[in-house]
Amino acid sequence: MEKVISNENSTPKTPLVKHIYTADPSVHVFEGKLYIYPSHDLVNDGLDDGKGDHFKMEDYHVLSLDDIGEPCVDHGEALHVKNVPWATQRMWAPDAAFKNGKYYFYFPAMDKEGIFRIGAAVSDKPMGPFVPEENYIPGSFSIDPGVFTDDDGTTYMFCGGLWGGQLEKWQTGQFVAGEEGMNAGEDGPQGDEPALTPWVAIMNDDMVTFKDKPQYVKILDENGEPLKAGDNERRYFEAPCMHKFNGKYYLSYSTGDTHNICYAEGDSPTGPFTYKGIVLEPVIGWTNHHYIVEFKGKWYLFYHDSSLSGGATHLRCVKYMELDIAADGTIKTLNDLVQL
């Protein structure tokens, strides 16, 4: 397995690695260090057609930090689409978890019918390599799995992404083919209709199946009403992430076309959640995807932008910043709009 150690120490607002393009980080503390599970952008000359075809992503690398400020280690390829029996393409944003003495890796990919599903793979080590299950998780759909294990050991998976992520196509409970890319938004709610939200499912103890059918979570405004589809600055688009702070649950997510990372607070990991504010303002590049993690008593935001590639939307780099979280859970808004 390839192992590359960065020649530079990791510092806030600088790419964790520069020898490959990385995006969509999820981050966990395993074995006393930070393990980063990003997607892997491949250089290509594809055009942005609004469908995501210019995102060439077929494998995953696992990164790690012994500590904040230390060099970042690339542990090499952990999983490739060619080794996943049911998948064909688009290995987008992943996540990981630990249970039963095993490490579980979750990833979206298109099946042989062009439908996004969520796959699971297993390893004895946090850096992999991961051995995929023969089929995707039954009942799974769309993209961006975000996995959270509560203090009682219950593990939840949040999932869903609009437009290229196909979330609009599941409103009937079954996949309904329609427009792809940005035009897919016309298949979903409009204006003052309640916005689409991510779904959540409880994982069985085997960590590769769901205990129950996925249920959509509620994201409410300050008046207790569901956020509206036309409220582009606050409504959900993709990238669900859950963290717990002082007994409260915080669902953070990307607003997509308005490029904010927002957060909402709830009393239960399944919601409902009330919108609270912006975690990260827009960065260079079209997408904005993040993860919030506690490490050695401090909180950090891992995210990506396109600064390493000079602004190429499909060639991104993972970064991090320390988060300022008040005792009441309020998160101070961050900004990293560097000038190219």
Side-chain angles (χ1 to χ4, degrees):
M1 180 188 297
E2 176 190 9
K3 184 175 181 180
V4 177
I5 301 177
S6 171
N7 291 324
E8 301 176 356
N9 287 359
S10 64
T11 56
K13 298 188 179 183
T14 60
L16 279 180
V17 294
K18 298 180 180 179
H19 64 287
I20 58 173
Y21 290 107
T22 54
D24 309 318
S26 63
V27 187
H28 296 272
V29 181
F30 294 141
E31 300 180 349
K33 63 177 69 175
L34 287 164
Y35 280 90
I36 302 98
Y37 300 87
S39 56
H40 180 199
D41 288 335
L42 299 178
V43 176
N44 70 93
D45 58 2
L47 298 176
D48 182 0
D49 57 3
K51 302 177 183 179
D53 290 336
H54 62 312
F55 291 105
K56 299 298 182 183
M57 304 155 79
E58 61 186 35
D59 68 344
Y60 297 101
H61 285 225
V62 176
L63 311 176
S64 69
L65 291 171
D66 286 344
D67 203 346
I68 293 295
E70 293 293 318
C72 186
V73 177
D74 175 2
H75 295 275
E77 185 179 278
L79 182 68
H80 195 285
V81 68
K82 67 184 179 184
N83 296 320
V84 182
W86 59 269
T88 60
Q89 61 174 323
R90 298 194 184 183
M91 306 285 271
W92 288 5
D95 203 349
F98 175 75
K99 201 169 190 176
N100 310 321
K102 300 285 186 179
Y103 295 90
Y104 297 87
F105 185 75
Y106 303 101
F107 58 95
M110 280 188 168
D111 66 13
K112 295 175 182 179
E113 297 179 345
I115 299 174
F116 264 117
R117 303 288 187 173
I118 305 300
V122 188
S123 177
D124 293 324
K125 301 177 180 179
M127 73 288 291
F130 291 92
V131 178
E133 296 290 297
E134 285 295 317
N135 206 348
Y136 54 79
I137 298 175
S140 67
F141 59 93
S142 196
I143 62 170
D144 291 0
V147 183
F148 168 76
T149 299
D150 207 351
D151 299 332
D152 65 359
T154 304
T155 299
Y156 302 81
M157 178 181 288
F158 298 82
C159 200
L162 302 182
W163 300 1
Q166 301 181 340
L167 189 60
E168 295 96 334
K169 302 182 186 306
W170 289 92
Q171 295 174 86
T172 66
Q174 302 291 326
F175 183 83
V176 178
E179 290 285 350
E180 295 287 344
M182 295 177 67
N183 291 333
E186 299 175 4
D187 296 333
Q190 305 291 321
D192 289 335
E193 296 179 295
L196 292 176
T197 63
W199 54 258
V200 60
I202 297 176
M203 305 295 296
N204 281 317
D205 287 340
D206 64 10
M207 294 294 281
V208 296
T209 58
F210 296 149
K211 183 176 181 180
D212 298 302
K213 182 179 179 181
Q215 302 293 322
Y216 292 97
V217 302
K218 293 181 179 179
I219 305 177
L220 310 176
D221 64 17
E222 62 277 11
N223 298 314
E225 296 295 325
L227 290 180
K228 305 299 190 292
D231 189 354
N232 289 39
E233 292 288 337
R234 301 192 297 175
R235 63 93 174 90
Y236 177 83
F237 188 93
E238 63 186 2
C241 174
M242 173 68 62
H243 75 274
K244 190 175 184 179
F245 183 83
N246 286 348
K248 295 284 188 176
Y249 299 86
Y250 295 86
L251 176 67
S252 49
Y253 56 89
S254 171
T255 61
D257 58 340
T258 49
H259 315 291
N260 292 319
I261 297 296
C262 294
Y263 73 107
E265 178 187 280
D267 294 320
S268 163
T270 57
F273 299 95
T274 300
Y275 177 88
K276 290 297 180 180
I278 295 174
V279 178
L280 178 66
E281 295 177 335
V283 296
I284 292 171
W286 199 93
T287 61
N288 205 347
H289 194 118
H290 72 296
Y291 208 87
I292 294 173
V293 63
E294 184 181 17
F295 184 62
K296 296 185 176 181
K298 294 183 178 181
W299 288 89
Y300 296 90
L301 176 75
F302 284 75
Y303 62 104
H304 71 231
D305 70 10
S306 297
S307 59
L308 182 61
S309 64
T313 297
H314 62 295
L315 299 174
R316 298 159 292 180
C317 57
V318 170
K319 299 179 170 185
Y320 73 88
M321 286 188 281
E322 186 174 341
L323 269 183
D324 183 353
I325 304 181
D328 66 356
T330 301
I331 300 174
K332 183 177 179 180
T333 302
L334 296 177
N335 181 281
D336 184 23
L337 190 56
V338 298
Q339 298 299 315
L340 296 178

